[in-house]
Each structure stands twice: as C-alpha cells, then as structure tokens.
Amino acid sequence: MNLLIDVNVVIDICTQRKPHAEPSAIALEIAKLNHVRLWLYAGSTQTLEYNLYRHLRQENLEAGRPLTNAAVLANARRLLSEFVKDKQWLAALAAEGPVFDTQDPEDAQLIRAIERFPLGHIRLLTRDERLLTEYPDQTISPDAYCKLGQPDQRLDFIDLKTQQDAIRPALEQQIHRVLHHGHYILGPEVRELEARLAAYTGARHCITVASGTEALLISLMALGIGPGDEVITTPFTFVATAEVICLVGATPVFVDIEPDTCNLDARLIEAKLSPRTKAIMPVSLYGQPADLDAINAIAARHGLPVIEDAAQSFGATYKGRQSGNLSTLGCTSFFPSKPLGCYGDGGAIFTSDDALAQACREIRVHGQSQRYVHTRIGVGGRMDTLQCAIVLAKLDRFDHEIAQRQTVARRYHALLAPQEASRAKPPSRQADPPTQNSLCALAPLRETFQLLPWPQPDRTSVFAQYTLRVPDRAALQARLHAAGIPTAVHYPVPLNEQPAYAHLCCPDCTPVARQMAREVMSLPMHPDLSAADQDRIVTAITAVPI
Ligand SMILES: Cc1ncc(COP(=O)(O)O)c(C=O)c1O
C-alpha cells in the first residue's frame, strides 16, 4: 500500500497547525507501522517550499518576531529537509505537465500521478474537500485514515519494492539516460555493465545476453556441442539447465546431488562419463557454488569443459573466487527475483578464454562476425540497454544486499536450529559416494523440519533461497499461507521425473534428488526482510504442529 502526501498535510505537520497537525502526524505514524510507502510528488517541491515559507512568515508577523525573509526561508527549508528524510519521491512525468486546461493544475497532476499505480494501491492523503469528494477512491483524509482497520499483513516472498526505494534516484537516472541517448541495443550501458561485471568476477570477459537460459544455450553453442553429444548435469534444478542441452540436440545425463548442498555430487560423475560426454554443467543451487575444484579436476582428466550454471549464485564465492568465474564458462541470470536482477529478462556469460568469448559475442548476434557477415549459426540473444542500465543501478547496493541476505540466513538458522528435527546427519561430503546405508539418513523425516547444513566452510552463499526440508510440506505450506506467509518449492519434481525428460534416466538412479524434491520448501528471503517479519515467520513455523 502507498500514500501520496498532499502539500496541505505536509504544511500542517511542519507548522504543527492546529487542529490538523495531530491527525496528520498520527496517520503517518500508523502508515509507517504498517509498512505503507509514503510518497511526495517531485513536481510539488516549489509549492511545498513557497507555502511553508508563506505560512511561517505570516506566523512571525503575527507573533511580532523580527525574523528576516531569508531566515524564514532557511527555516522552511530545514523543516522540509527533515520531513522528506523517510519519504519516497514520486517522479513528475511528462504526462503530468500539460494540466493548465484543468480546473486546478496542481490537483490534476496529483491525480494523474496516482493513476500510474494499479487501482487501490495508492491514495492521496489530503484535506482538500474538493478532491476528497470528487475522487473518493483515490483520496483519503488523515482523520479517515486513522480510523481504518489493520491492512492486509501478507508478507512478500521476495520484496523488490524496498530495494527499489533504496536505489530510486540512480534507477530513474539510468533509465532516463537511455531514453535520452536512444542506443537501445548494445548501447554504452551494455559495455559498462560487462566491464564492471568482468571486474567483479575476475573473469577476462563478460558477455551480457537475453536471459540466463540464453547464456547456457550460447555457451553450449560456443563449445560446439550438438547432436550425439552428452552433457553431465543435475536433475535438481530449474528446467532451463537441461532444456538447453536438448535444444542443441545433445542429451542431458543426470547425476545425483549431494544431500547437504543439493549440488551435483562430484563423486558420482566419472561413472556416468562416456565417449560421447562433451561437457559437465553443474548448478550452484540456492546460492551456494557447487564443488567446482572437484568437478574441474574430473573435467581436466577427461579433457572436458565445465559450464557453471550460476543463475542463483552470482556474488557467492568458492575458495575466495567468484561464482561465475570458477570454470571454463559461467552463466548467470538477471531474472528479477535473482540476487542480482533486472526488471525483465537478462543474463551474462563469463569466461577467460578469448576464443570462447569471441564465439559467444558472435552467437548472441546471429553468428555475425561483422555487419552482415554470418560466420556461424547464432541467435538473437542480446540483453537490451535498458535492462543493463537497471542492473548498473542495482550494482552499487549489491555487496550490501549479499551481506544482508547472509545476515537473514544466519538469523533463520539460529532461530530454527533449536527446533529442528533431530536425526542422523546426512553423509559427509568427504566420505565415499553414498551407499544404500548412508542414504538411510535420507529416510523421510517424521518430525517437523530439518535445516539444510550451513554452506561449506570453503564457500559463501548468496542465499537466493533459504530452504528447509519438511516431511509434511503441503500441511506446513497451507498453515503458513493462512498466516500470510508465502513459501515456494525449488523444485517439486526432479527433471528425470518430468514428462519431457523421464525417458533419459530412471527416478531411482538419483535417489537424493528424488527425496529432496519431496521435502524442500523455501521461506521468504530477501535483503530487506526485517527481524520482526522473520520472527513472525519463525514463530509460525515452530508453533505449528505438523
Ligand atoms: C538454476 C537456473 N538456471 C537457469 C535459469 C534460467 O534463467 P532465466 O530465467 O534468466 O532464463 C534459472 C532461472 O530461474 C535458474 O534458476
């Protein structure tokens, strides 16, 4: 929910004008407690300043105070600077300019600004009787607002709005810069983002592409993988990972996952290699890198390239190195809900191999090596300039957000650990490959829930997801839903049990993936999740008998 604060309400509060100041101040306090976003219209700054100045000057005259006009103006600006500190600025758009043929241009601007939001998502907090009568659904008086009941207290699974609040000025500048220079395809922001991301990961090259899926597809094409080839991968991932292997005409060969990280189990890879194997594609699931040293060592022994699917782990580290730059090629996604997301589709490929980088650059523009010279088969796979500009605006806050995600995860862990089901720990990663005996540790849980182990000591996670194992998942999900807490399942069905892939590998061949798919459940996770909301989630989980 959002409130746009009209000038009269701001003046009431700043001047403590009786009797209006008190209900207005209370209305704003209630709104803040309910996490309502408070907006001021950027087109009203001069009106705010002029009206407050006029009011203060009148007050001084009436009180016989000998203040100069400059001192009164300085006072007005000080009060306004203080008032706007915790508010959002709603940009004035071009459509709100031509209002001089309306009865009240200022009011018309505010109503047009409100009409940008979906109906019912924002109201103008005002004392203006005409507006209140003419636009009853878009406006509300401070008195009426104080009498409203509790708003809907549903939590977001991922809150992108608070992030947007934090970066709004940079975001709007970036977007408008692109609108004004007009290089919508492969514009300067594309090159700037690629340079910054390459530097961030330490890879020599970053090639932005249309999505995470496209990044994986282009990587396979650059490696020349095609019909008759096999690619080793995990069945416990988003479908895109395996889909692109099929799209180039190759076959995904599913290898089971580790029970503690849910990532590809390197110990099981060699048994699945064949003369047709042309690459290994591990996924760094939930934000934690897969065991890339072990996987790279196997790949090196057999002369195979490794493509890390880092769609969920961009920003994480493995032995001090950045995810995305841990193998021959690394691919990430800027899908909006990813740790580093844009406002649409986007992705990137990382590599330090010059020839592969060149191939990826050509493939993303229809295999073109120079204008109208198509050296290879390619795709229309560019990331557009606007989406790159949006990622640039987010990049300055990214390290802070990663630290926040880790704090949130640590807090979930600390609060939930005392309540988790006790039972045998999953087999250690250093041990031999799982046997029927060690897999007993994966027998279905009879109790409430179990935490996935904290990330391995040699790596960090960006916690794209915070995921638990829950035996009676549907029941817990339903109860949390009733308490206004959304959950998600990543992923409910291993790929080798999906109709399109089931012929490739029997479900029993990947028992850990099968078990995890039955039990995993992800909790709300984002950098701006407050301690209070987290407490509410934990209480709802631990108070619920399953
Ligand atoms: C592991 C994994 N791989 C690939 C993708 C595909 O990324 P995109 O949605 O940007 O195509 C995703 C996105 O959900 C993902 O989580």
Side-chain angles (χ1 to χ4, degrees):
M1 183 57 186
N2 301 273
L3 274 183
L4 176 59
I5 312 169
D6 199 358
V7 171
N8 51 51
V9 174
V10 181
I11 305 297
D12 286 346
I13 294 175
C14 286
T15 59
Q16 298 177 8
R17 182 157 63 186
K18 284 186 180 147
H20 307 297
E22 194 173 291
S24 297
I26 294 173
L28 294 194
E29 277 312 306
I30 294 174
K32 267 192 242 169
L33 286 174
N34 289 321
H35 305 298
V36 172
R37 199 156 270 106
L38 299 174
W39 297 88
L40 292 166
Y41 184 60
S44 297
T45 47
Q46 278 176 306
T47 316
L48 276 170
E49 184 186 271
Y50 179 66
N51 281 0
L52 184 55
Y53 164 75
R54 227 180 40 174
H55 187 94
L56 293 178
R57 196 180 55 177
Q58 186 61 30
E59 241 181 30
N60 282 319
L61 285 176
E62 284 168 12
R65 282 192 288 264
L67 284 181
T68 63
N69 286 350
V72 175
L73 183 61
N75 196 20
R77 287 183 178 174
R78 185 183 54 75
L79 288 168
L80 286 171
S81 298
E82 195 53 38
F83 183 82
V84 303
K85 262 185 187 149
D86 56 354
K87 315 292 183 302
Q88 289 289 312
W89 283 107
L90 187 60
L93 300 187
E96 290 139 25
V99 284
F100 299 108
D101 55 350
T102 62
Q103 191 186 344
D104 185 326
E106 212 183 314
D107 290 352
Q109 284 195 309
L110 294 178
I111 295 301
R112 286 188 192 179
I114 277 182
E115 283 168 355
R116 284 185 232 159
F117 287 70
L119 195 66
H121 284 225
I122 189 167
R123 288 177 101 174
L124 176 69
L125 189 72
T126 185
R127 270 198 305 108
D128 185 317
E129 285 303 333
R130 190 185 68 80
L131 280 174
L132 288 165
T133 313
E134 248 177 71
Y135 300 95
D137 295 334
Q138 284 104 327
T139 60
I140 190 162
S141 72
D143 283 318
Y145 190 79
C146 291
K147 292 185 194 121
L148 281 183
Q150 280 274 322
D152 182 13
Q153 293 287 353
R154 300 199 77 73
L155 295 182
D156 289 322
F157 187 69
I158 293 174
D159 172 13
L160 291 174
K161 292 205 176 108
T162 307
Q163 179 198 54
Q164 193 178 98
D165 291 347
I167 59 168
R168 189 178 319 284
L171 200 54
E172 289 178 353
Q173 264 174 348
Q174 287 286 357
I175 293 170
H176 279 262
R177 196 171 291 143
V178 177
L179 291 183
H180 290 298
H181 69 52
H183 299 290
Y184 308 120
I185 302 295
L186 296 180
E189 286 74 11
V190 179
R191 289 190 294 280
E192 186 185 344
L193 181 64
E194 290 179 348
R196 285 189 64 185
L197 293 182
Y200 187 88
T201 58
R204 213 161 38 232
H205 305 279
C206 166
I207 303 104
T208 54
V209 290
S211 67
T213 308
E214 208 74 7
L216 295 167
L217 178 70
I218 292 173
S219 295
L220 289 170
M221 291 171 76
L223 288 167
I225 292 170
D229 297 338
E230 290 178 354
V231 178
I232 301 277
T233 194
T234 161
F236 196 58
T237 177
F238 181 62
V239 68
T241 318
E243 183 177 62
V244 290
I245 300 171
C246 299
L247 279 175
V248 295
T251 304
V253 174
F254 295 115
V255 167
D256 209 1
I257 55 171
E258 300 167 336
D260 49 359
T261 66
C262 295
N263 283 330
L264 194 63
D265 192 333
R267 298 164 302 179
L268 307 176
I269 291 177
E270 273 185 310
K272 293 289 186 86
L273 296 179
S274 85
R276 288 184 299 281
T277 310
K278 288 293 167 344
I280 306 175
M281 199 193 277
V283 176
S284 296
L285 202 74
Y286 299 153
Q288 176 178 200
D291 193 354
L292 261 300
D293 272 4
I295 295 167
N296 285 335
I298 296 164
R301 274 202 296 281
H302 298 273
L304 298 170
V306 175
I307 305 168
E308 183 199 8
D309 182 344
Q312 300 182 13
S313 62
F314 189 76
T317 59
Y318 175 88
K319 301 183 182 177
R321 285 150 33 224
Q322 292 289 328
S323 182
N325 182 29
L326 300 172
S327 53
T328 322
L329 292 142
C331 297
T332 198
S333 160
F334 302 125
F335 188 81
S337 60
K338 296 290 187 238
L340 182 62
C342 56
Y343 288 161
D345 275 314
I349 303 169
F350 299 90
T351 184
S352 291
D353 181 313
D354 297 345
L356 279 176
Q358 180 63 21
C360 290
R361 282 192 195 286
E362 289 178 10
I363 293 167
R364 87 171 163 182
V365 279
H366 308 285
Q368 182 173 274
S369 54
Q370 26 177 311
R371 195 157 170 75
Y372 297 130
V373 179
H374 301 276
T375 332
R376 33 178 125 229
I377 304 295
V379 293
R382 295 163 302 222
M383 180 165 168
D384 66 66
T385 311
L386 265 173
Q387 295 305 337
C388 289
I390 285 160
V391 178
L392 280 173
K394 291 192 177 191
L395 211 47
D396 288 336
R397 196 181 188 243
F398 187 48
D399 283 338
H400 162 78
E401 291 189 354
I402 293 174
Q404 285 296 108
R405 284 176 175 278
Q406 289 166 345
T407 301
V408 169
R410 214 172 292 116
R411 202 156 180 277
Y412 265 140
H413 231 69
L415 294 172
L416 289 168
Q419 315 280 342
E420 78 174 319
S422 58
R423 59 164 206 178
K425 288 282 162 223
S428 132
R429 299 185 53 257
Q430 276 71 39
D432 294 331
T435 59
Q436 272 318 109
N437 267 354
S438 61
L439 285 176
C440 289
L442 286 167
L445 288 163
R446 278 183 300 280
E447 295 148 82
T448 49
F449 64 86
Q450 191 177 43
L451 303 180
L452 284 179
W454 190 251
Q456 300 296 310
D458 58 2
R459 58 201 91 163
T460 60
S461 173
V462 287
F463 290 98
Q465 310 297 342
Y466 184 88
T467 304
L468 305 174
R469 294 180 57 196
V470 186
D472 194 351
R473 183 169 65 197
L476 184 55
Q477 279 195 290
R479 288 178 200 225
L480 291 179
H481 177 76
I485 297 167
T487 57
V489 175
H490 308 95
Y491 296 89
V493 182
L495 296 186
N496 51 336
E497 294 185 42
Q498 291 285 0
Y501 301 88
H503 61 286
L504 296 172
C505 171
C506 72
D508 293 339
C509 299
T510 57
V512 183
R514 184 172 221 199
Q515 189 69 43
M516 290 298 178
R518 285 187 188 140
E519 292 182 355
V520 289
M521 186 190 88
S522 303
L523 299 179
M525 165 53 85
H526 54 85
D528 300 296
L529 188 62
S530 69
D533 285 344
Q534 228 185 334
D535 289 343
R536 187 176 140 201
I537 296 163
V538 169
T539 305
I541 294 169
T542 52
V544 169
I546 308 176

